[in-house]
Amino acid sequence: MTPNIDRRRLLLGAGAFAGLTIAGCATRTQNSQIFDAHCHIIDKRYPIVANQGYTPPSFTLEEYRQQTIPLGITAGAIVSGSFHGYDQSYLRALLPQLGPRWVGITQVPQDVPDAEIASLATIGVRGLRFNIYRGRIDSVDDIVALATRAHAVGKWHAEIYADSAALKPHVAKLSKLPQIVIDHMGMTEQGLPVILDLVDAGAKIKVTGFGRVSMNVPKALELIAARNSNALMFGTDLPSTRAKRPFEAEDIALIRNVLGPINAQKTLWNNAVGLYRPVV
């Protein structure tokens, strides 16, 4: 099922963009700031690997800033995509440029040394991504083992990109991890019951990629917020590689209209800042 576009247009209404006016970061209050919990920077000066025959176009830090500063995005998490492989050089270069309001989520091999985890933690890497949906396929036991070690060494949490329906047999094991995050609301309508089970176990859910998921987005937002409004974290998913449609500014307006001011504030700022621990 694709996102309910008619309902979405109704929710947006005439005043949907009231909170999206262009303004400089320095004049924003915390209540108007947004934490982008999921974005990618694709800088061809650093290694990029083809994934399933796909190599993404460049998307530089400058291009990202041009799109997001007008929206009030002042902090966030840079996420390694499948096309980054295990390269860490781009994060080591990028995070110091961005400063302490920004953190990284990376990918590492199963045999990564503890010293590498500790080193990356010092530059602001906060989590470890497991791409089950595209590219990287591990047994759940391997995921749990590496995620547990990464948390012990670097205080990293685990971020999982998967069709959450496929995670149903593994909810109990994943729930034992210190903290897990599920990308893109779990991707499918069929996986929503699994998402709700994981939320009950303390998982955070990224409200990202509206143009790539197969679900009724407003309904999913309502159901997750009703279960635990502290679980939701917004991300742009820029540059939206391989999505059916890219991120749009009205996706933020949709969140505000569906969730209301209190839960939207949690989703757009508070919940992610609490997890990712930027210096803001």
Side-chain angles (χ1 to χ4, degrees), residues 15 48 53 95 99 111 127 133 146 148 154-155 166 178 204 216 220 228 248 259 269:
I48 298 291
L95 290 177
D111 61 353
Y133 189 81
L146 180 53
T148 300
K155 302 300 182 187
K204 302 289 189 185
N216 182 317
N228 184 355
E248 299 173 352
L259 296 180
W269 183 262

Side-chain angles (χ1 to χ4, degrees), residues 13-280:
F17 293 94
L20 301 181
T21 54
I22 297 177
C25 294
T27 63
R28 293 183 182 276
T29 66
Q30 178 170 309
N31 287 342
S32 69
Q33 293 182 86
I34 295 174
F35 187 100
D36 184 355
H38 194 98
C39 59
H40 306 289
I41 302 299
I42 305 167
D43 189 330
K44 296 298 181 72
R45 293 177 299 174
Y46 304 97
I48 298 291
V49 297
N51 177 262
Q52 298 176 349
Y54 174 80
T55 302
S58 176
F59 186 69
T60 65
L61 177 58
E62 182 179 352
E63 290 173 300
Y64 172 80
R65 284 171 161 163
Q66 287 174 352
Q67 291 193 42
T68 57
I69 287 176
L71 303 179
I73 292 171
T74 64
I78 308 297
V79 178
S80 289
S82 57
F83 39 80
H84 287 113
Y86 298 140
D87 174 60
Q88 309 301 333
S89 61
Y90 91 102
L91 281 177
R92 290 189 181 279
L94 186 62
L95 290 177
Q97 292 181 56
L98 285 163
R101 297 174 69 90
W102 294 81
V103 302
I105 303 298
T106 195
Q107 300 170 144
V108 297
Q110 196 75 26
D111 61 353
V112 60
D114 287 356
E116 176 74 349
I117 296 173
S119 174
L120 290 167
T122 65
I123 65 165
V125 174
R126 295 285 192 264
L128 173 59
R129 194 182 198 213
F130 296 93
N131 190 333
I132 300 173
Y133 189 81
R134 179 182 292 122
R136 174 175 174 163
I137 302 174
D138 303 282
S139 76
V140 171
D141 287 341
D142 286 343
I143 289 174
V144 170
L146 180 53
T148 300
R149 181 162 67 92
H151 183 267
V153 174
K155 302 300 182 187
W156 290 0
H157 62 264
E159 302 205 351
I160 298 176
Y161 178 24
D163 179 343
S164 55
L167 300 178
K168 184 175 182 179
H170 311 294
V171 168
K173 287 184 178 180
L174 294 173
S175 298
K176 292 178 182 178
L177 289 171
Q179 181 67 67
I180 60 170
V181 175
I182 305 298
D183 287 353
H184 308 313
M185 294 184 289
M187 293 300 292
T188 66
E189 192 94 27
Q190 292 79 6
L192 191 54
V194 178
I195 289 296
L196 297 177
D197 286 344
L198 289 169
V199 167
D200 288 343
K204 302 289 189 185
I205 309 300
K206 287 191 180 181
V207 182
T208 59
F210 293 0
R212 71 171 71 249
V213 302
S214 298
M215 65 176 66
N216 182 317
V217 171
K219 175 185 173 183
L221 288 173
E222 290 168 352
L223 288 172
I224 298 169
R227 193 64 64 95
N228 184 355
S229 61
N230 296 322
L232 295 166
M233 303 188 304
F234 162 76
T236 62
D237 189 35
L238 284 170
S240 307
T241 55
R242 291 189 277 197
K244 294 177 183 177
R245 73 151 175 88
F247 165 77
E248 299 173 352
E250 65 184 43
D251 293 343
I252 298 173
L254 173 64
I255 290 168
R256 287 181 167 139
N257 279 278
V258 171
L259 296 180
I262 294 175
N263 286 340
Q265 168 69 14
K266 290 181 178 181
T267 301
L268 295 169
W269 183 262
N270 298 3
N271 295 342
V273 168
L275 176 67
Y276 288 102
R277 311 183 310 279
V279 181
V280 295

